[in-house]
Amino acid sequence: MKLISDIIAILKSLSFIDYILYFSVLALLILIVALIYVLKNDDTDNFVIGSDKMKEKNEIDLQEIANNIIEKTEPIADLSLYEEEQEQKAIISYDELVNERNKKRLQYDKVELIDNVIPAKKINLNDIINENNEEINKETEIVHYEREEAFLNTLKELNALLN
């Protein structure tokens, strides 16, 4: 009788977390035993449902499928007339996309981190201009400078209006 009262006292002293822990360990042990059982009994014959005739029928079906795959080497899906028309009328075709991939990408002079977080990259404009066979002259630089100066002035006026 004392044994039963001791077991009840132990169970009353456990908290809810202890119950969860013990039952999870027990469930884990059961899963491990089940896994070991499945690995030890790795016969493929145990998993086949049906008789020997069913096995032979499945093998024949697999053989036919293998023969069909070997015979038909060309893809099943071809472009329909509508798809071909859409490809010709497309704004950019697949061939143009492939050719675009082969073009040069932007090259950067230097990469700096602002506040050690935001990357700021300076684009090498000389390579872009040289690719397009345009010459750099002073007039275009002045025009760009004037545009930037006008833009700066409008930003200053906007700032003044906001404040």
Side-chain angles (χ1 to χ4, degrees):
M1 196 69 177
K2 184 172 167 94
L3 179 65
I4 295 174
S5 63
D6 288 343
I7 291 174
I8 292 173
I10 290 173
L11 291 177
K12 286 183 179 178
S13 68
L14 294 177
S15 67
F16 181 71
I17 301 296
D18 293 331
Y19 286 119
I20 292 174
L21 177 68
Y22 291 132
F23 285 118
S24 62
V25 168
L26 182 65
L28 183 63
L29 287 173
I30 291 170
L31 288 174
I32 289 174
V33 169
L35 179 67
I36 291 172
Y37 176 76
V38 167
L39 291 177
K40 290 287 184 177
N41 295 330
D42 194 22
D43 283 340
T44 56
D45 295 337
N46 293 342
F47 297 110
V48 174
I49 300 172
S51 62
D52 291 335
K53 291 181 181 180
M54 188 69 161
K55 288 181 190 178
E56 291 175 10
K57 185 178 180 183
N58 287 341
E59 289 175 7
I60 292 172
D61 291 339
L62 292 176
Q63 187 64 37
E64 289 177 14
I65 292 171
N67 290 339
N68 288 338
I69 291 174
I70 293 172
E71 290 172 3
K72 297 180 181 178
T73 57
E74 63 186 36
I76 296 172
D78 290 329
L79 290 178
S80 66
L81 294 176
Y82 175 76
E83 291 171 336
E84 288 177 9
E85 178 183 350
Q86 291 301 314
E87 177 68 22
Q88 291 170 358
K89 290 182 179 179
I91 294 172
I92 184 167
S93 67
Y94 177 76
D95 296 332
E96 291 172 336
L97 284 174
V98 170
N99 292 336
E100 186 70 25
R101 182 188 67 186
N102 296 332
K103 288 187 178 178
K104 281 191 170 183
R105 301 287 179 223
L106 288 178
Q107 295 183 2
Y108 303 104
D109 283 340
K110 59 182 175 179
V111 178
E112 297 177 359
L113 285 177
I114 299 173
D115 296 331
N116 292 330
V117 177
I118 304 168
K121 299 177 181 179
K122 181 179 177 186
I123 298 173
N124 188 353
L125 295 176
N126 292 332
D127 290 342
I128 295 172
I129 292 172
N130 290 339
E131 286 177 7
N132 295 332
N133 296 328
E134 296 178 0
E135 295 181 7
I136 300 175
N137 55 24
K138 299 291 181 184
E139 294 173 357
T140 57
E141 291 179 3
I142 292 172
V143 170
H144 292 297
Y145 178 73
E146 290 173 356
R147 287 183 186 169
E148 289 176 6
E149 195 172 84
F151 181 68
L152 180 62
N153 289 336
T154 55
L155 284 177
K156 287 180 182 178
E157 291 174 7
L158 179 63
N159 192 16
L161 288 174
L162 291 175
N163 292 332

